[in-house]
């Protein structure tokens, strides 16, 4: 095929998994093509993590203004012009898109705008929006086509019914918000809009919100959400909705009263998006749930073809996509990398209060057969938390019990409270270094700091404490 340009690596999908793979491979000296049909940065940058956190920061400013009086500063939250928050968010996103685009040039990655589909012999056909087609071939191919929001029957997107894609384009704060699904996305939006003055109701199908989270942490979130006036209805089975006429709608819930809303945010998970990848004539296989099937090194069934990120059945987190990108590139370079340890990756939910953890929670550790020692310390007693006026939350550490009953290896570090997404790194390191309580207790934390609570919780597991 004379028209087919050859590359060491062709990456399909320009989200965190895809661009990380492209740039990492380029920095290892490979000739790389990156195929993206829309905007580089993918869901995380354009329709996910970054814009959602930008709105959470607007919500934090509203909270600070509301509590400014406690610090002796007279002020009141007069009005919110959310269109300014929308523009600010978009400037941040556009700036980061520009940065990534610049990196494709400086790293000499060939950027191909169009939908990539994989055929036999690692040949990728790139179809641009004007219908023009070009073909490239990689010695290796990485599939990183990501995911899209799941929807539920009876809640087709349009008008007040939104997924995260539409919510992130809003230029007003809806007066009444119903969030269907109390997972990470649902809790982040519930927190944002409650802090901005919306009346928020979360409808969660299971018996509790954040179902995957350690119960002690989830309880703190539930209490804090209650203080914000967020109503949480669990065991809620939604049964469609009836538009009211003024742009709002009435959401029907089995066995419960209807809830009226100006915005209904459907956040019931994301599904993989292999839809445009072709794959005919290849050994790439999809599971029943349409995840691309891979081994521990992200290799698909087709020799030389890898899949990473939300396209495979691993935690749907941008930083897991980064890790899988590095893993796949090292593997194709023949560097014998270590597989990602998915049960120890860092998790972070940016609602207020924030949640962050690495390693198993108490129940999971016990279910895995570990005899454990657990310590929990509240932020209420931490000086920096009091200075900030942010005392809701705790640090919980799960350690292996030694034969003599003392606490040994740190298995899990779980945090809820102020800025814990920024504090997790010490805990993450301890879990992944397989460090013991005695080893970590030797490390010094700055005083006063929020991270002291991690240090004190570890210290208490040695059987001795400064306080408490
Ligand atoms: P999720 O899987 O975290 O939560 C979905 C929630 O919806 C669950 O609690 C589930 O029980 C509930 N649910 C499902 N169907 C329902 C129904 N018909 N009615 C009521 N409730 C229902 O999914 P989410 O929040 O949409 O996030 C998608 C992915 O993105 C997740 O894997 C998440 O980890 C990731 N993400 C991570 C973030 C972070 O780390 N900060 C932020 C946002 C998303």
């Amino acid at each position: 095929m004379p028209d087919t340009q050859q590359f060491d690596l062709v990456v399909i999908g320009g989200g965190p998994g895809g661009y990380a793979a492209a740039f990492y491979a380029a920095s290892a000296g490979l000739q790389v093509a990156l195929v993206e049909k829309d905007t580089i940065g993918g869901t995380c940058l354009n329709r996910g993590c970054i814009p959602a956190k930008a709105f959470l920061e607007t919500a934090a400013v509203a909270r600070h203004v509301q509590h400014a009086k406690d610090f002796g500063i007279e002020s009141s939250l007069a009005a919110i012009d959310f269109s300014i928050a929308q523009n600010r968010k978009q400037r941040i996103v556009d700036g980061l898109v520009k940065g990534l685009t610049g990196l494709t040039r400086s790293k000499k990655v060939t950027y191909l705008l169009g939908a990539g589909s994989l055929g036999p012999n690692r040949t990728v056909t790139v179809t641009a929006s004007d219908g023009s087609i070009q073909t490239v071939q990689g010695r290796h191919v990485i599939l990183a086509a990501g995911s899209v929001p799941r929807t539920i029957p009876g809640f087709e997107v349009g008008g007040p019914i939104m997924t995260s894609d539409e919510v992130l384009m809003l230029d007003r704060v809806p007066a009444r918000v119903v969030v269907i699904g109390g997972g990470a996305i649902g809790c982040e939006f519930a927190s944002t809009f409650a802090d901005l003055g919306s009346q928020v109701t979360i409808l969660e199908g299971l018996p509790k919100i954040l179902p995957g989270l350690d119960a002690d942490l989830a309880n703190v979130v539930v209490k804090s959400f209650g203080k914000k006036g967020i109503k949480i209805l669990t065991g809620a089975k939604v049964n469609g909705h009836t538009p009211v006429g003024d742009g709002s709608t009435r959401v029907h819930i089995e066995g419960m009263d209807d809830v009226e809303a100006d915005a209904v945010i459907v956040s019931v998970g994301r599904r993989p998006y292999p839809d445009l990848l072709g794959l005919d004539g290849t050994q790439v296989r999809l599971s029943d749930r349409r995840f691309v099937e891979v081994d521990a090194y992200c290799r698909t069934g087709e020799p030389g073809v890898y899949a990473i990120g939300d396209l495979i059945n691993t935690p749907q987190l941008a930083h897991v996509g980064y890790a899988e990108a590095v893993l796949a590139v090292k593997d194709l370079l023949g560097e014998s990398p270590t597989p990602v340890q998915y049960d120890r990756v860092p998790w972070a939910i940016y609602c207020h209060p924030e949640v962050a953890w690495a390693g198993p929670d108490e129940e999971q550790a016990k279910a895995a057969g570990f005899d454990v020692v657990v310590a929990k310390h509240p932020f209420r007693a931490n000086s920096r938390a009091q200075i900030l006026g942010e005392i809701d939350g705790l640090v919980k550490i799960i350690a292996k019990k030694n034969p003599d009953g003392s606490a040994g290896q740190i298995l899990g570090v779980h945090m809820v409270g102020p800025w814990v997404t920024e504090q997790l790194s010490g805990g993450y390191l301890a879990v992944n270094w397989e460090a013991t309580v005695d080893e970590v207790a030797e490390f010094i934390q700055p005083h006063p700091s929020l991270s002291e609570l991690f240090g004190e919780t570890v210290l208490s597991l040695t059987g001795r404490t400064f306080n408490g």
Side-chain angles (χ1 to χ4, degrees):
M1 279 185 282
D3 290 328
T4 302
Q5 212 182 331
Q6 305 289 321
F7 291 91
D8 296 322
L9 173 65
V10 178
V11 181
I12 304 181
Y19 72 67
F23 296 156
Y24 188 79
S27 71
L30 300 187
Q31 291 293 322
V32 182
L34 176 60
V35 183
E36 165 58 53
K37 68 176 174 49
D38 192 353
T39 310
I40 195 166
T43 298
C44 167
L45 176 49
N46 295 285
R47 296 174 299 281
C49 324
I50 304 297
K53 274 71 210 170
F55 284 170
L56 276 156
E57 210 49 43
T58 292
V61 172
R63 232 173 29 241
H64 295 325
V65 172
Q66 275 165 327
H67 294 132
K69 251 193 181 142
D70 303 343
F71 293 78
I73 295 165
E74 281 299 332
S75 84
S76 64
L77 192 61
I80 293 172
D81 184 346
F82 201 60
S83 65
I84 294 177
Q86 175 61 250
N87 291 338
R88 176 176 184 275
K89 167 226 104 180
Q90 203 54 47
R91 271 200 312 278
I92 296 168
V93 170
D94 292 347
L96 291 166
V97 166
K98 217 169 146 192
L100 288 175
T101 307
L103 278 175
T104 60
R105 288 191 213 105
S106 62
K107 290 192 173 288
K108 299 193 171 30
V109 167
T110 302
Y111 187 68
L112 301 172
L113 188 59
S117 75
L118 179 73
N121 302 318
R122 299 174 311 284
T123 298
V124 175
T125 306
V126 183
T127 309
S129 56
D130 65 3
S132 61
I133 286 177
Q134 68 175 313
T135 314
V136 292
Q137 190 179 35
R139 279 200 299 123
H140 299 94
V141 172
I142 294 181
L143 307 173
S147 63
V148 290
R150 270 184 60 210
T151 49
I152 36 181
F155 289 90
E156 282 69 36
V157 170
I161 311 298
M162 310 174 190
T163 65
S164 48
D165 289 357
E166 291 74 34
V167 179
L168 292 167
M169 300 315 286
L170 279 177
D171 58 5
R172 70 195 154 79
V173 177
R176 296 162 303 173
V177 175
V178 162
V179 175
I180 304 180
I185 294 182
C187 285
E188 289 189 353
F189 282 134
S191 178
T192 297
F193 287 114
D195 282 340
L196 293 173
S198 306
Q199 191 185 313
V200 178
T201 308
I202 300 177
L203 306 178
E204 167 58 50
L206 293 175
K208 57 176 191 171
I209 61 164
L210 296 170
L213 192 63
D214 183 279
D216 284 321
L217 275 74
N219 288 342
V220 172
V221 176
V222 167
K223 264 198 202 144
S224 300
F225 275 17
K227 285 189 203 163
K228 289 183 196 294
I230 296 174
K231 201 166 158 190
I232 300 173
L233 301 178
T234 54
K237 192 165 186 317
V238 288
N239 249 343
H241 70 106
T242 308
V244 177
D246 57 353
S248 65
T249 195
R250 197 172 289 140
V251 178
H252 310 306
I253 315 159
E254 236 175 66
M256 297 186 197
D257 291 340
D258 291 349
V259 184
E260 281 201 23
D262 305 292
V264 177
I265 303 174
V266 181
S267 49
V268 294
R270 300 181 61 88
R271 69 163 181 87
Y273 186 66
D275 306 22
L276 304 177
L277 285 178
L279 309 177
D280 289 345
T282 74
Q283 296 297 313
V284 178
R285 293 287 167 260
L286 302 184
S287 70
D288 294 350
R289 291 166 61 209
R290 295 179 56 74
F291 287 106
V292 172
E293 293 189 338
V294 291
D295 68 8
Y297 297 89
C298 294
R299 302 176 189 132
T300 70
E302 177 78 5
V305 178
Y306 296 76
I308 61 172
D310 284 8
L311 198 55
I312 63 174
N313 193 9
T314 56
Q316 291 175 315
L317 299 165
H319 46 272
V320 169
Y322 291 149
E324 290 166 345
V326 172
L327 173 72
V329 172
K330 281 186 167 176
D331 191 69
L332 67 85
L333 288 168
E335 294 178 354
S336 308
T338 308
V340 177
Q341 298 215 28
Y342 292 107
D343 53 350
R344 292 178 179 180
V345 301
W347 289 82
I349 305 177
Y350 297 75
C351 56
H352 177 254
E354 292 187 347
V355 184
W357 74 96
D361 66 22
E362 188 174 352
E363 254 179 59
Q364 290 164 340
K366 286 178 179 164
F370 290 110
D371 212 0
V372 296
V373 189
V374 174
K376 288 182 254 185
H377 285 254
F379 274 106
R380 191 168 298 279
N382 174 272
S383 51
R384 191 82 194 276
Q386 291 185 16
I387 291 163
L388 292 174
E390 296 269 357
I391 55 170
D392 288 347
L394 56 88
V395 171
K396 177 170 178 177
I397 299 180
I398 296 105
K400 251 191 219 174
K401 192 186 265 182
N402 290 327
D404 66 0
S406 64
Q409 184 190 329
I410 295 176
L411 296 171
V413 175
H414 295 246
M415 302 175 158
V416 54
W419 291 107
V420 295
T421 57
E422 296 292 340
Q423 293 181 62
L424 180 67
S425 52
Y428 169 78
L429 203 62
V431 166
N432 282 274
W433 208 264
E434 302 185 352
T436 65
V437 160
D438 287 341
E439 285 165 342
V440 179
E442 301 243 342
F443 293 121
I444 302 169
Q445 306 287 341
H447 175 76
S449 72
L450 295 168
S451 57
E452 270 180 302
L453 196 62
F454 170 65
E456 280 167 20
T457 310
V458 175
L459 188 65
S460 74
L461 283 165
T462 67
R464 297 176 186 167
T465 54
F466 292 151
N467 48 21

